[in-house]
């Protein structure tokens, strides 16, 4: 990926590093909170209308002249759409993080669906929910933007599964390709697919 501002490839100034550090603390606090499932989840819907611009699993290399080169895995499902495109809840859940200015992520919402699943929505131009809000599938979360580390307006939708059997440690947590949720449907189906893969 070319053309990323050097300051977004990595925090460099004391002010940037301080914001990046505060952002990290906020995210870690959210990871450690567990909300119960509000109701059975029958399936997930697409949170924004647009073109899939980057699928899950790529290794990204940020290359900008005069900046250090950095690589990072892409753990999300990117949907390119104009700034202001509505972002909706893909399934019921409780908002556990709502911030407009995380350093790398920009406008960000974490939505806990229960069952150990959290949806992350990044780079938003508007955040229209607050921590503690309870959402139904289809409820408005905010709007697509180009905040944080981006080359253009899009929604980065990521889903993380957290091990409910070991709430004191995040070492066994892992990201899931959100496209699987759209294809497989419910968390129980995801869990069954995961257990089947382990057996194989």
């Amino acid at each position: 990926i070319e053309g990323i501002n050097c300051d977004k490839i990595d925090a460099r100034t004391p002010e940037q590093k301080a914001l990046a550090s505060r952002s990290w603390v906020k995210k870690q606090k959210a990871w450690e909170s567990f909300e119960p499932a509000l109701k059975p989840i029958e399936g997930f819907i697409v949170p924004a209308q647009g073109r899939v611009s980057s699928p899950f699993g790529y290794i990204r290399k940020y290359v900008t002249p005069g900046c250090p080169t950095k690589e990072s895995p892409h753990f999300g499902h990117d949907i390119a759409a104009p700034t202001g495109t509505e972002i909706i809840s893909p399934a019921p859940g409780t908002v556990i993080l709502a911030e407009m200015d995380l350093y790398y992520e920009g406008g960000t919402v974490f939505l806990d669906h229960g069952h150990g699943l959290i949806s992350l929505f990044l780079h938003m131009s508007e955040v229209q929910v607050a921590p503690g809000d309870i959402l139904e599938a289809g409820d408005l979360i905010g709007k697509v933007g180009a905040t944080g580390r981006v080359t253009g307006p899009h929604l980065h939708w990521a889903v993380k599964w957290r091990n409910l059997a070991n709430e004191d440690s995040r070492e066994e947590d892992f990201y899931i390709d959100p496209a699987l949720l759209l294809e497989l449907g419910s968390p129980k189906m995801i869990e069954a697919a995961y257990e089947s893969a382990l057996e194989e």
Side-chain angles (χ1 to χ4, degrees):
I1 299 177
E2 299 178 344
I4 293 284
N5 185 306
C6 291
D7 293 333
K8 288 302 181 181
I9 292 177
D10 218 347
R12 300 189 297 169
T13 70
E15 293 78 14
Q16 292 166 353
K17 291 178 179 179
L19 176 55
S21 178
R22 292 195 299 272
S23 300
W24 185 85
V25 169
K26 290 175 180 178
K27 290 182 291 181
Q28 295 309 305
K29 184 177 180 181
W31 291 134
E32 293 169 0
S33 69
F34 288 82
E35 293 292 334
L38 301 173
K39 58 179 62 176
I41 298 176
E42 301 300 330
F44 285 71
I45 60 176
V46 178
Q49 295 301 310
R51 173 179 59 87
V52 176
S53 56
S54 183
F56 181 91
Y58 284 171
I59 300 297
R60 291 178 161 182
K61 179 182 287 187
Y62 299 94
V63 180
T64 298
C67 303
T69 297
K70 186 171 184 177
E71 292 187 359
S72 65
H74 184 241
F75 288 132
H77 182 82
D78 285 357
I79 301 171
T83 295
T85 300
E86 290 189 346
I87 300 170
I88 61 173
S89 173
T94 302
V95 177
I96 58 173
L97 178 72
E99 293 283 341
M100 261 311 299
D101 191 27
L102 299 185
Y103 187 75
Y104 296 107
E105 298 85 357
T108 299
V109 169
F110 285 12
L111 183 64
D112 191 341
H113 301 295
H115 311 284
L117 288 177
I118 292 183
S119 277
L120 293 69
F121 309 93
L122 278 55
H123 311 309
M124 299 167 65
S125 63
E126 295 181 30
V127 171
Q128 299 184 350
V129 293
D133 286 354
I134 295 174
L135 305 182
E136 298 286 344
D139 285 350
L140 182 65
I141 293 174
K143 296 183 178 180
V144 169
T147 56
R149 181 196 279 168
V150 298
T151 56
H154 71 282
L155 169 65
H156 173 100
W157 175 33
V159 177
K160 197 169 195 179
W161 181 81
R162 299 174 300 161
N163 184 6
L164 297 178
N166 190 3
E167 293 186 6
D168 295 329
S169 172
R170 306 277 51 83
E171 293 182 2
E172 296 179 357
D173 299 354
F174 59 89
Y175 284 96
I176 296 171
D177 182 351
L180 292 176
L181 294 174
L182 297 174
E183 293 171 6
L184 293 176
S186 72
K188 286 186 178 180
M189 294 175 72
I190 293 290
E191 184 177 353
Y194 174 67
E195 290 177 352
S196 176
L198 288 180
E199 291 174 359
E200 293 177 2

